[in-house]
Amino acid sequence: MSYTPQTPQKALPGAYVQTPAHQSQALSQQGQGAQSGTQRSNVDELQPVARAARAVNEALSQESQYPDLDSYIGQGISSEYEVSTQAAWAPFQKTKMYTIPDRIFEQYNRAQVSTIMGLFADFNHAWVAIDNALYLWDYTHPNPDLVSFEDASHTITAVKLVVPRPGVFVPSIMRLLVVATTADIILVGMSAQAASHGGKQVALYSLKMSAPVKGLDVDVIEGSHATGRVFFSGRGSHDVYEFTYQQEEKWFTNRCAKINHTNKGYSTFTPSLLFGQRAQQEIVVQMVVDDSRRLLYTLSSRSTIRTFFMRGSSGLDLVISKPLGQTLSNVGHMTSQTDLISPSMSIVSISAVTAQEAAKTNLVASTSTGCRLFMSATSAYGASPNSSTAPTSMQVQHVKFPPAGTSSPQPNQSSQSTQLMQYSNAPAINTSSRALDPSRTVVRYAPGYFLTFVVKDQQAGLDHLFVSGPDTGRIAQPQLQQNPIKYPELALWLNLGSRAEDVGLASAEFSASSGPVGFGNELAVQFDKPTSEIAILTNTGVHMLRRRRLVDIFAAALRVGGGDEGLEGEVNQFVRRYGRAEVASTALAVACGQAFDVTSDSRLARISDPEVLELARKSFVEYGGRPEFPENSILDKSVPPIDVVRPSPRHAGVARYISRLLRSIWSVPIIVENLTPTGGFQIATAVSLIKLQDISRDLTKLKEFLDANKSFIEGLAGPEARGNFSNKKDEVSLLAEHRALHALVVLIDRVIEGIAFVLVLYDEKIEETILSLTNETRQQVRNLSYEKLCTSDLGKTLAKDLVKAIVNRNILNGSNVETVAEALRRRCGSFCSADDVIIFKAQEYVKRGAEHGADSDVCRDYLNESLRLFKQVAGSLSMEQLQWVVGQYMALQFYAASVQLCLDKALESDRGNRALGWIQDGRPQGDKRAEAFEARKRCYDLIHQVILSIEQSKTQSPDFEDGSLSLAGRRREEAAYEIDHSDDEVFQTDLYDWYLQNNRADELLAVQSTYVVTYLERRSSDDIAHADLLWKYHVQKERYQDAAIVQLALAKSQFELLLDKRVEYLGNARTNASTTRPGIVRSARTEVLREVSDLLDVANIQSDLVQRLKSDTRISADRKPSVIEELDGMILPLSVLFNTYCEPAFYFDLCILIYEAADHRVASDIKATWQNLFEHTHQQAEDMGQGLQAYEKIAEQVRSLGNKLGLSQTMFPVGELLPMLKRYGHNFQPNRGSENWVLDIFIDLQVPFETIYATLENMFYNDEPPFQGRNRRLIGNDIVYIAKMWFQNSIRGSGSPFGGQDNAAAVTQLLHMAMQVGLDERRLEECQNLRIRIETMLR
């Protein structure tokens, strides 16, 4: 029952934010999860996992919006660098230096013509070309073997490693070595496989593919990774050639050839002959391919940049040629005159910027003075080109000038200071720094690592390396800066001590997203992808340069920051630069062991220094910020205060850290279906299992950290917290913080178990498991991501299906189900709980029982044990599992168990019994409790199936055999007993509904349950059929009093019933109420009987009125149906019947009956109504031409009313009616009919003779008109007649005349007086004889 409370409900903590709060009260409630329904209804109803998933998704979304390169360089100039002078803040660090093997030096000493060196860094190999021989070695191996290529006949001038054209070579040929000599260009195949020491082992294969290039002096080679095309140029010209190759020769093409794309001629068929050249002839010094836009860039010795569009699979069109003069002109529009960008400088290198990294920026050109020119190519109408359209122009968009100052030594590794050379962004941009002049070459790698090799001493020839990279944290959050910096970079100087020969990227190319937005977010992938490593080859060895992550820098800063005393300063410096949330995330990562550093023996190892970990813990706990209550910005007062609190930066940091751990798997499907080359079915994982294990390990460390420090972390302690709240605002803020952090902890547990579940899935024969699923479930599993698996109800359901499939497969293979299920439970309890283990065990018992046959004792033992187990975990059974169990039980005639299990499952699904409350409240529409009823009804529907199965089984096996109950009959009786004696009122209600919906009312009436009456009473208010069943049920159970009450209620109900039906109900009710039974209180029965009788009198009057109106010709034919309809239904009040119908229609007999029913005892009204009745009846007879017989109609009316009124002294006053009738007969019907017709009416009604005699006596002595004078004899005649009749009646048997001597004497005296008024002769004689007889008998 629902009602509106009169007392205001207790407000949610924080509803009045300025009210002082009790200490820890709200925390206790939050920790225990004990809030009233009124409070919880106003609170965000997200479950913890869903709330945490939302926080993770928000973090991922925020990091995916990291600015693209175009947005933070913009059009203009900049020179902002933060050059680190201390190792702790260095953006890069040297990790190791690999020496060149002695065998290489041995070969080098034999060189006669030339020697060139280079790197294949992605394969961890270096190479050296000595004259006509090429040697490769694994520079990471302490004692590498040399892999040589010595088939060249001429001196090698250039070597390049390229990707082969698809489909030309066998798959094992992963790369091609393009070896250029003075006479030809040769292709060498290369394969690679993992080596035991962790590096790569390569092998070279002679392909017998070459083309002549004599006279070109090839020194520049570049290849397209996407198409396998190979381009080259030489010192003899600035022409661009392509080296083509195919599997076999064709009619008009050789297997190998060269094509001159800039000077078509006949160079394909004839070698170039150069008899002489100008000293300043322009040549190509660098080539770069951008496969994302299908562009080839070349840089010439005159600093001219040319752009070629790779059309189709073989075309190459020159689309842009940008001389140095045009470049200088572009820069001149951005800055005033500067010596750094002038005709005297040159462009020393170019680097392509892919479309994945930037939509507008195409190329970065580096100058000899250390400037970087960011260039953008556009197609027609200024649009950015794509892979299908060629650009038509190129402009400089941004110029990055060198840092201020001069080159510095390598950062001091042991210094305790962490001071930095701050960004030189004030007061103006420095456009005159010579710090990078002269730059010999510049190499760029995404997302913006620049390695500038500066030669300060031309004679020494030693390179100083200036390496810089984007300050990702500042770029990600420019709002933290008071004066936003354009393109901030972190940089440092490194002294290589020698000359760099080559540079290569030893790690995978960086990308944090597939498009420009979010591409450069190094913070997002610092725990997800390997750190970028760059190999630098010098004549002393290979130097390894590692990009340091923010987590590494933070850990190093803590290490050298002065311990606890300097902690605040270090943390605040990071907070100012990167924000409190980022610092919290970074500190948490360090505390969880994510930071790495280079050890003294040049190894890269995790930082496990207890002091550093403790400082990181303190940073997270003490500097994580507080939740914010935006009191002044609350506009919607309907939103609970707890939902507007902004959690602390600490919460954001935890969510950010979790998102970075999960970003590679969060939206990825858990399985990928593939077809094998032979057409077989194969399941693969989108994420390697090793990666999953790493993520699980990191999450476990995070969980352990939070568990160990929860008492110190504000908001995570729960009910143990004891804060001093000054007002509700602080209390609600802490509640919101706890809710948010607790949700993240729950999510961590769920993801750990989710990963464990996936690992278990792949440990099993996953193909067989997936194929055993239904098509619908299999499709859902295909689309199931790790996020859905760990956070959604669908994921939990599908996991259950997969667990079931695993268990079933193991059962089929003969494995012990309990062992398998227990192993699953230990590894991933959320997906295979202890309840699941019991369910699997019970299912196995059912299957074992079925194997022994339904009638065997062994089968019954197994089934009984399975039922015991199923009942233990009824709440955990899914509907599919319940349906399976019930189906098995029915097949084995285990009917009673089916009913018990369904009832248990129904109760467990609605432990609050909300469905019953919904039923009791009349099943309101839109009520959430209806969902609870529907959940239970699905269980009850299975019981209905059991009932039908039982009935069907009766046709196959009778209940009795040889006069005794059969086994099948006993099983059916057991089920019937469980059904009829269930105390689940919701089930009984649903069962009775099912009976009636399927025309089984007789079965309902036969049920022996107290719930039948409750059910029928509840439904009777809405349905007359249920009400009829209710009184019939009472009659059948001999509860007549209750039946009468129901029938009385039906007669008075609002149902659309005809009046006759209501009269019928009342008649039956009077009969039932009149029936006595032991145990019925007499007074109650009398009260019911009285009410029934009274209402029946009214109903009879109304029924008579209806019949009278039907035959009344005074009502028009149009109006009569509506009048009849008004009366032929509900029993109307007597006042309505009298005033609206009876009196206006002159139905005076009915008016008299109404007086009687209403107990109206006003004598004048009653007398007047009788008088009106006589007059109206006489007038009707006159009108119908039956005036002579009018007395007969009146006599009939009097007799009828006398019977109906029971000779009531009030409503049938003989003393008034007899004189009235006598006067009527004398005045209007003289000499009509019998002389004594008036007296005969009363005698027939058995009015006592004493009453008639007394009335006549009064009339005789009163001498009232018209019975005066001679007419007194008429009364005298009546006296003689009535005295004679009285005398004869009284002397029957042994009675005394007139009942006694006193009456006899009075009669004798009155007869004597009557003889004196002139009686008729006959009456006179009768009078005399009567007197004689009276006197004789009195002697």
Side-chain angles (χ1 to χ4, degrees), residues 103-104 107 110 120 125-138 144-152 156 159 177 179 186-191 201-207:
R103 295 173 61 187
I104 296 297
Q107 297 294 331
R110 301 183 186 139
F120 301 147
H125 274 65
W127 59 269
V128 60
I130 302 173
D131 296 336
N132 65 335
L134 176 66
Y135 301 99
L136 284 70
W137 74 95
D138 182 353
D145 294 329
L146 295 184
V147 180
S148 62
F149 172 73
E150 300 176 338
D151 294 346
I156 297 175
V159 177
L177 279 179
V179 181
I186 306 168
L187 287 188
V188 180
M190 189 181 87
S191 66
Q201 182 176 352
V202 303
L204 302 182
Y205 301 91
S206 175
L207 302 177

Side-chain angles (χ1 to χ4, degrees), residues 398-594:
H398 185 85
V399 179
K400 186 67 180 281
F401 285 92
T406 59
S407 59
S408 301
Q410 186 172 345
N412 185 356
Q413 299 286 342
S414 61
S415 173
Q416 299 299 309
S417 173
T418 60
Q419 295 299 317
L420 303 175
M421 183 183 295
Q422 297 297 326
Y423 285 110
S424 54
N425 63 325
I429 297 174
N430 190 332
T431 61
S432 59
S433 172
R434 293 287 180 174
L436 302 181
D437 185 22
S439 294
R440 183 173 64 84
T441 186
V442 179
V443 179
R444 179 188 186 274
Y445 298 109
Y449 309 147
F450 283 91
L451 288 84
T452 304
F453 296 89
V454 183
V455 181
K456 291 297 184 180
D457 186 349
Q458 294 291 343
Q459 294 181 352
L462 301 181
D463 285 333
H464 289 271
L465 174 60
F466 180 79
V467 57
S468 64
D471 192 348
T472 309
R474 288 201 171 189
I475 294 173
Q477 302 186 71
Q479 71 277 6
L480 296 177
Q481 315 302 324
Q482 294 181 354
N483 298 313
I485 301 172
K486 182 181 291 187
Y487 194 11
E489 289 186 272
L490 296 172
L492 82 158
W493 286 95
L494 291 174
N495 190 354
L496 297 178
S498 58
R499 175 185 173 89
E501 301 293 338
D502 196 6
V503 181
L505 187 64
S507 59
E509 293 183 0
F510 180 89
S511 66
S513 70
S514 58
V517 178
F519 177 88
N521 195 348
E522 294 179 272
L523 297 178
V525 298
Q526 58 182 326
F527 314 122
D528 180 53
K529 292 186 176 183
T531 305
S532 296
E533 284 191 295
I534 301 170
I536 304 172
L537 176 64
T538 69
N539 54 13
T540 58
V542 179
H543 301 263
M544 300 304 299
L545 194 64
R546 173 178 175 267
R547 169 66 161 171
R548 298 181 76 210
R549 305 168 301 167
L550 182 60
V551 65
D552 305 327
I553 296 174
F554 185 78
L558 292 180
R559 173 182 288 170
V560 300
D564 291 337
E565 295 77 10
L567 178 62
E568 182 176 358
E570 292 295 333
V571 172
N572 287 337
Q573 184 173 356
F574 274 92
V575 170
R576 287 191 298 270
R577 293 164 61 89
Y578 304 120
R580 198 171 294 276
E582 187 61 50
V583 172
S585 175
T586 305
L588 181 60
V590 174
C592 292
Q594 289 284 4

Side-chain angles (χ1 to χ4, degrees), residues 947-1079:
I947 295 173
L948 296 175
S949 178
I950 291 173
E951 293 175 352
Q952 184 179 3
S953 69
K954 290 181 179 180
T955 62
Q956 301 172 356
S957 56
D959 288 338
F960 292 90
E961 294 178 354
D962 299 329
S964 60
L965 188 64
S966 65
L967 178 61
R970 186 171 71 251
R971 291 172 179 171
R972 289 190 284 265
E973 276 194 0
E974 292 171 354
Y977 180 86
E978 294 291 340
I979 292 172
D980 291 343
H981 291 80
S982 169
D983 59 358
D984 185 350
E985 186 175 350
V986 180
F987 162 64
Q988 297 291 356
T989 299
D990 179 74
L991 177 64
Y992 304 153
D993 283 340
W994 183 73
Y995 279 151
L996 297 181
Q997 290 168 2
N998 292 274
N999 299 319
R1000 294 169 173 256
D1002 293 339
E1003 295 182 40
L1004 172 60
L1005 296 177
V1007 172
Q1008 299 292 332
S1009 175
T1010 57
Y1011 294 117
V1012 175
V1013 175
T1014 304
Y1015 167 77
L1016 292 175
E1017 285 178 346
R1018 188 180 295 124
R1019 302 301 296 271
S1020 293
S1021 60
D1022 301 325
D1023 186 7
I1024 190 172
H1026 289 84
D1028 277 333
L1029 287 173
L1030 179 58
W1031 70 259
K1032 290 177 182 179
Y1033 186 82
H1034 285 315
V1035 170
Q1036 184 170 313
K1037 305 306 178 187
E1038 298 184 351
R1039 295 196 286 265
Y1040 301 109
Q1041 178 80 1
D1042 294 334
I1045 293 174
V1046 175
Q1047 290 167 333
L1048 174 61
L1050 279 171
K1052 297 162 61 177
S1053 69
Q1054 299 289 330
F1055 291 125
E1056 295 183 358
L1057 296 173
L1058 295 178
L1059 184 59
D1060 289 344
K1061 188 64 178 178
R1062 297 178 188 272
V1063 172
E1064 180 185 342
Y1065 280 133
L1066 290 171
N1068 293 333
R1070 183 165 61 182
T1071 301
N1072 289 322
S1074 302
T1075 304
T1076 59
R1077 290 281 298 169

Side-chain angles (χ1 to χ4, degrees), residues 1083-1134:
S1083 59
R1085 183 175 67 84
T1086 302
E1087 179 66 23
V1088 173
L1089 184 60
R1090 183 194 62 77
E1091 185 177 359
V1092 170
S1093 298
D1094 291 347
L1095 192 60
L1096 183 59
D1097 291 341
V1098 177
N1100 285 328
I1101 293 171
Q1102 186 170 330
S1103 179
D1104 292 343
L1105 177 60
V1106 171
Q1107 299 304 320
R1108 192 77 59 84
L1109 288 172
K1110 287 181 179 179
S1111 60
D1112 197 326
T1113 59
R1114 293 175 296 171
I1115 307 175
S1116 65
D1118 294 337
R1119 186 169 179 269
K1120 182 176 288 187
S1122 62
V1123 174
I1124 299 302
E1125 183 179 359
E1126 292 173 1
L1127 288 168
D1128 198 9
M1130 292 280 295
I1131 300 176
L1132 302 178
L1134 288 171

Side-chain angles (χ1 to χ4, degrees), residues 48 120 383 404 406 430 507 666 683 735 835 915 944 1207 1272 1293:
F120 301 147
T406 59
N430 190 332
S507 59
W666 189 243
I683 297 291
L735 278 172
D835 287 353
H944 302 161
L1207 301 181
R1272 291 183 67 194

Side-chain angles (χ1 to χ4, degrees), residues 153-404:
S153 302
H154 302 84
T155 301
I156 297 175
T157 59
V159 177
K160 186 70 176 180
L161 188 67
V162 300
V163 176
R165 187 188 296 272
V168 177
F169 306 103
V170 295
S172 60
I173 301 297
M174 301 173 60
R175 295 290 189 272
L176 295 177
L177 279 179
V178 183
V179 181
T181 70
T182 56
D184 51 12
I185 187 167
I186 306 168
L187 287 188
V188 180
M190 189 181 87
S191 66
Q193 58 185 4
S196 58
H197 67 279
K200 298 286 181 65
Q201 182 176 352
V202 303
L204 302 182
Y205 301 91
S206 175
L207 302 177
K208 305 297 183 182
M209 302 179 77
S210 64
V213 292
K214 190 172 183 179
L216 294 183
D217 198 9
V218 175
D219 64 342
V220 178
I221 306 174
E222 187 60 54
S224 167
H225 283 237
T227 62
R229 298 175 68 179
V230 178
F231 305 98
F232 62 92
S233 186
R235 298 187 184 94
S237 71
H238 67 272
D239 291 338
V240 175
Y241 294 84
E242 180 177 0
F243 178 64
T244 63
Y245 56 94
Q246 57 191 14
Q247 279 186 324
E248 54 188 21
E249 294 185 3
K250 298 183 179 180
W251 282 101
F252 299 102
T253 57
N254 298 324
R255 287 188 66 196
C256 301
K258 72 175 187 294
I259 299 175
N260 188 335
H261 284 289
T262 53
N263 183 12
K264 304 300 181 180
Y266 296 94
S267 63
T268 303
F269 306 101
T270 61
S272 297
L273 300 177
L274 300 177
F275 298 100
Q277 62 182 18
R278 299 177 182 177
Q280 299 297 327
Q281 182 180 2
E282 184 181 19
I283 62 173
V284 174
V285 296
Q286 187 181 2
M287 287 185 179
V288 177
V289 171
D290 180 2
D291 282 317
S292 65
R293 296 184 175 93
R294 300 178 66 180
L295 297 178
L296 169 67
Y297 304 102
T298 66
L299 173 65
S300 76
S301 56
R302 297 179 182 176
S303 298
T304 297
I305 299 173
R306 293 181 175 86
T307 304
F308 297 83
F309 181 67
M310 294 186 288
R311 176 174 40 81
S313 60
S314 59
L316 187 70
D317 300 329
L318 176 62
V319 292
I320 302 173
S321 180
K322 193 171 186 66
L324 178 60
Q326 290 186 12
T327 302
L328 295 176
S329 176
N330 292 159
V331 176
H333 295 293
M334 299 181 188
T335 181
S336 58
Q337 186 67 29
T338 172
D339 293 338
L340 297 182
I341 301 179
S342 65
S344 62
M345 66 87 182
S346 63
I347 297 176
V348 295
S349 66
I350 56 175
S351 301
V353 180
T354 64
Q356 182 184 3
E357 185 177 357
K360 296 180 180 179
T361 305
N362 290 53
L363 194 71
V364 179
S366 300
T367 70
S368 59
T369 56
C371 297
R372 282 177 271 156
L373 312 179
F374 292 82
M375 311 182 79
S376 173
T378 57
S379 59
Y381 308 106
S384 297
N386 51 44
S387 60
S388 60
T389 59
T392 56
S393 64
M394 179 177 289
Q395 302 292 328
V396 177
Q397 294 292 322
H398 185 85
V399 179
K400 186 67 180 281
F401 285 92

